[in-house]
Amino acid sequence: MTSANAAWIARDLAHVWHPCTQMKDHEQLPPVPIRRGRGAWLEDFEGKRYLDAVSSWWVNLFGHAEPRINAAVRAQLEQLEQVILAGFTHEPVIALSEELTRLAPPGLTRCFYADNGSSAVEVAVKMSFHYWRNTGHPGKRRFITLANSYHGETLGALAVGNVQLYKEIYQPLLMDVITVPSPDCFARAPGQDWADYSRAQFVHMERALEQHAHEVSAVIVEPLVQCAGGMRMYDPVYLSLLRAACDRHRVHLIADEIAVGFGRTGTLFACEQAGITPDFMCLSKGLTAGYLPLSAVLTTESVYAAFYDDYVKLNAFLHSHSFTGNPIACAAARASLALFGEDDVLTKNQALAAHMGARARELAAHPHVAEVRQRGMIVALELVRDKASGTPYPWQERRGLRIYRHALARGVLLRPVGPVVYFMPPYVVTPAEIDLMVEVAREGIDLATCD
Ligand code: PMP
């Protein structure tokens, strides 16, 4: 290692405690210091470039340093960097709220802001519980979640999630939730249709609602793709059935579109593919095209009305974060939404998604690739030790880490989730860059599965 990167690494390791990291791992593989980003590429201090195939933790939509978003951020910086959103307001948050409610599934007319995804989930959970309390149903205080779901790391969000790697240790601190089997189609029988499998799995949800609806506030789901749970996917029919059942049982539906929103699944919002409107829709990550921390919870007039009252009745939603609705973040979000129209992004993504899927499916015959699955701009490959029996690799072997290391050496940022290699690139990725991504993944998979 030459000196430019090494100096930054030494300074980093002296004080920075990295997220989601066993810091001892950095004895073997130091963090990669990034000096700048352009388009789909990141560059370190020695000029080595990395193709950002994971959109920097699924946040980046239009590449790094996108000129039009840069300009919007710069312009806003000159006007107003931050102002309290309680009692005050500003143009970027007003215009963004108008735009989001115009684009969202019909009926979502109210926007409440926070500054990260987990906080948005906390808001939706609290708001749902509080709605039932305000409307005379204080006993509705539990939540139904899907196995293998992920909704963030703060205690409420962790409680309604179900990835044991992140959750198990903190279990004593978490509220008790009702967990039902996932519609995840990886578990379907060979040859079984996605829709059939997802529909069949709904029986578990129906049963849980029948049994618990009187004490349940909301069902929370990641629409169509359980991302942190290994990019596990299911059919939109599950969401349609869920919407109808939630209505029937008088339970809210929270759609966590933090990872899947803003075009990742092919439509602007994943819920559109089922033609449903949730009671709460959580947005973050791509909301600002990955520029700045911001999140929003969209909800309905009916929910809003349940909080609209005389102050002394104490029915208001007294939740806040200091940076709620930050003007610069809202300006980035507006610029990002404008690009969807200006560049006809969703249409262009269809060709990119077709190319990415076709190239990735070439790996389906690999002896250790159990499945290649796709929903729009998300493609995932599931590695197994034994394909015939579906036996997974023991997690302790960390096969995905070998792929990560190989890809870094080859100038691609792939970050497998356990045994799942996936591509979720920014929408400015080119077909040639997709070819590189897939080729490097193939080499990495070969290396990681050769013993
Ligand atoms: N929900 C989902 C579906 C997510 O994928 C994530 C982040 N990976 C979160 C919530 C939490 O968002 P944040 O990391 O911004 O707290």
Side-chain angles (χ1 to χ4, degrees):
M1 186 184 301
T2 51
S3 62
N5 281 346
W8 288 107
I9 292 167
R11 285 172 63 183
D12 174 283
L13 291 177
H15 298 293
V16 182
W17 190 342
H18 288 267
C20 201
T21 297
Q22 170 47 264
M23 291 299 290
K24 188 163 186 279
D25 280 358
H26 284 321
E27 289 179 11
Q28 308 298 324
L29 185 64
V32 183
I34 293 299
R35 186 170 71 91
R36 61 177 214 152
R38 286 288 181 279
W41 293 85
L42 299 163
E43 191 182 310
D44 74 10
F45 285 82
E46 289 161 11
K48 177 162 182 174
R49 299 195 325 141
Y50 300 89
L51 178 60
D52 189 354
V54 301
S55 296
S56 287
W57 252 347
W58 322 337
V59 300
N60 188 290
L61 296 188
F62 299 114
H64 297 276
E66 205 291 328
R68 288 164 289 180
I69 305 177
N70 282 4
V73 166
R74 225 177 267 127
Q76 184 56 42
L77 197 53
E78 295 301 328
Q79 288 298 315
L80 177 67
E81 83 299 339
Q82 165 67 356
V83 65
I84 178 172
L85 196 64
F88 285 71
T89 193
H90 51 83
E91 192 214 335
V93 80
I94 295 168
L96 177 61
S97 306
E98 289 169 352
E99 194 66 357
L100 286 174
T101 53
R102 188 177 69 76
L103 295 168
L108 295 174
T109 53
R110 300 282 168 177
C111 305
F112 191 96
Y113 290 91
D115 47 25
N116 63 77
S118 303
S119 296
V121 170
E122 301 283 345
V123 166
V125 163
K126 285 175 68 178
M127 216 180 239
S128 171
F129 163 78
H130 198 161
Y131 167 94
W132 293 115
R133 192 179 174 281
N134 281 357
T135 56
H137 303 91
K140 286 169 82 68
R141 52 176 199 82
R142 299 189 72 192
F143 292 84
I144 297 182
T145 186
L146 293 177
N148 196 44
S149 58
Y150 181 88
H151 298 290
E153 297 294 338
T154 54
L155 294 178
L158 200 57
V160 296
N162 187 246
V163 177
Q164 293 311 315
L165 178 63
Y166 307 126
K167 181 171 182 177
E168 204 166 359
I169 290 167
Y170 306 102
Q171 193 69 56
L173 307 182
L174 304 179
M175 69 174 160
D176 181 37
V177 298
I178 299 156
T179 307
V180 306
S182 169
D184 161 20
C185 289
F186 183 60
R188 74 197 188 283
Q192 190 179 8
D193 177 72
W194 277 34
D196 285 348
Y197 183 77
S198 295
R199 195 180 292 109
Q201 283 297 90
F202 192 76
V203 68
H204 303 290
M205 178 64 77
E206 184 67 51
R207 203 174 295 143
L209 283 166
E210 273 164 19
Q211 209 178 329
H212 295 288
H214 64 282
E215 54 169 348
V216 168
S217 182
V219 176
I220 181 165
V221 295
E222 293 160 273
L224 303 186
V225 189
Q226 297 187 309
C227 293
M231 302 295 161
R232 294 294 183 83
M233 302 178 183
Y234 60 91
D235 192 88
V237 71
Y238 192 88
L239 296 174
S240 315
L241 293 170
L242 182 58
R243 176 67 278 179
C246 284
D247 286 343
R248 219 168 36 247
H249 292 288
R250 302 203 61 213
V251 163
H252 287 142
L253 174 56
I254 302 173
D256 175 352
E257 294 233 10
I258 288 162
V260 295
F262 302 104
R264 293 288 184 201
T265 67
T267 43
L268 190 62
F269 299 113
C271 283
E272 290 170 33
Q273 295 184 42
I276 63 154
T277 298
D279 299 285
F280 302 92
M281 185 164 81
C282 302
L283 303 173
S284 190
K285 292 190 187 277
L287 172 58
T288 61
Y291 262 64
L292 288 156
L294 181 70
S295 61
V297 178
L298 272 58
T299 190
T300 61
E301 282 307 294
S302 130
V303 169
Y304 182 76
F307 292 82
Y308 198 90
D309 211 338
D310 297 330
Y311 183 85
V312 292
K313 294 200 187 153
L314 292 179
N315 282 339
F317 191 58
L318 300 180
H319 179 111
S320 64
H321 299 284
S322 310
F323 285 102
T324 287
N326 171 263
I328 308 174
C330 289
R334 287 185 65 202
S336 172
L337 289 176
L339 292 196
F340 275 96
E342 275 170 40
D343 293 354
D344 198 12
V345 170
L346 296 179
T347 309
K348 287 191 183 143
N349 278 359
Q350 288 174 12
L352 282 176
H355 184 70
M356 191 159 63
R359 293 309 314 268
R361 277 190 293 277
E362 291 170 12
L363 303 186
H366 190 283
H368 293 284
V369 173
E371 180 177 76
V372 180
R373 49 182 178 264
Q374 176 173 23
R375 177 69 67 182
M377 289 295 284
I378 307 175
V379 173
L381 299 89
E382 181 105 15
L383 304 187
V384 286
R385 174 183 287 285
D386 183 64
K387 209 162 163 170
S389 63
T391 312
Y393 283 110
W395 64 267
Q396 295 89 340
E397 293 178 5
R398 305 183 76 185
R399 303 260 168 180
L401 185 60
R402 300 188 203 174
I403 298 168
Y404 173 72
R405 295 181 76 130
H406 171 76
L408 279 187
R410 290 277 276 118
V412 179
L413 167 48
L414 290 176
R415 201 173 187 278
V417 182
V420 177
V421 182
Y422 69 90
F423 311 115
M424 202 198 280
Y427 306 153
V428 293
V429 72
T430 64
E433 288 163 349
I434 288 173
D435 294 347
L436 172 67
M437 226 159 64
V438 176
E439 179 57 20
V440 167
R442 190 189 57 73
E443 296 164 5
I445 292 169
D446 280 344
L447 268 175
T449 59
C450 66
D451 59 344

